[in-house]
Amino acid sequence: MRALLIHLIIGALLLAAAGPLAAQMAPELNQTGLDHFNQAFYEATPRQERAKAAEKYRLAEQSFQEAIRSQPDWVEPYLHLARTYFVQQKYRQAAEVYQKALTVAPERKDVYLRWASALEKAGDYQGAITVLQTLRTQETDKDAIAKLDEFIRQ
């Protein structure tokens, strides 16, 4: 019985330590994702190496997803994952990730614009307008409001 109790205590301590360790891994995973993305976008795609680009994008997606799981309150891997989807024309997936990014960093106005862009590219024009209207209610700069109004009218 005592040995079981000791194993349970050790297991609990290891689980408690895993949280901070996972958070420390997130920057590494994010950087690995960026490396794969850069190889796909800046090297393989211009050379029309489609298979290599697809594999590098897949690896980038995987790394960003792992970074998000490791540190779900850090917005950067969400933005990188969404961009990875966007450049592959996976607009619905990009829009979903941008929306999730706003739950982590609701003050990031640029994410609203990226989300609206992904929705527009996916053909969800009403969704894009709704996102821009939401951003408009948060904006205080008159020039920015005028630009948003122009986008919404288009």
Side-chain angles (χ1 to χ4, degrees):
M1 182 69 170
R2 184 179 176 143
L4 177 62
L5 183 60
I6 291 172
H7 285 309
L8 288 174
I9 291 171
I10 291 172
L13 290 172
L14 288 173
L15 282 175
L21 182 60
Q24 291 173 3
M25 291 175 42
E28 269 183 52
L29 291 165
N30 189 60
Q31 185 58 53
T32 299
L34 284 172
D35 293 343
H36 289 302
F37 176 89
N38 288 338
Q39 290 169 6
F41 190 77
Y42 295 108
E43 295 173 22
T45 300
R47 293 185 195 133
Q48 297 185 358
E49 297 171 343
R50 289 181 179 91
K52 181 179 179 182
E55 177 62 10
K56 289 298 182 177
Y57 283 132
R58 186 190 67 75
L59 291 170
E61 291 170 15
Q62 183 179 0
S63 294
F64 296 138
Q65 290 164 349
E66 289 175 20
I68 289 167
R69 279 192 293 278
S70 295
Q71 193 173 348
D73 60 343
W74 185 35
V75 73
E76 293 307 313
Y78 289 92
L79 300 179
H80 295 141
L81 177 59
R83 180 175 182 224
T84 302
Y85 288 143
F86 193 93
V87 301
Q88 295 176 86
Q89 300 179 356
K90 298 178 180 179
Y91 301 121
R92 285 262 173 232
Q93 289 171 282
E96 290 171 11
V97 177
Y98 283 131
Q99 184 177 15
K100 288 177 186 173
L102 285 170
T103 65
V104 175
E107 74 284 354
R108 293 283 304 261
K109 294 176 182 177
D110 62 309
V111 179
Y112 283 93
L113 296 174
R114 294 174 190 188
W115 181 19
S117 177
L119 288 170
E120 185 268 330
K121 290 282 193 181
D124 184 356
Y125 304 110
Q126 188 55 51
I129 289 170
T130 300
V131 170
L132 292 174
Q133 288 171 334
T134 300
L135 177 56
R136 188 188 187 288
T137 64
Q138 299 174 9
E139 188 56 64
T140 56
D141 181 274
K142 290 180 182 178
D143 291 335
I145 291 171
K147 283 282 188 196
L148 286 169
D149 287 341
E150 182 181 326
F151 287 137
I152 291 168
R153 279 192 303 275
Q154 292 175 359

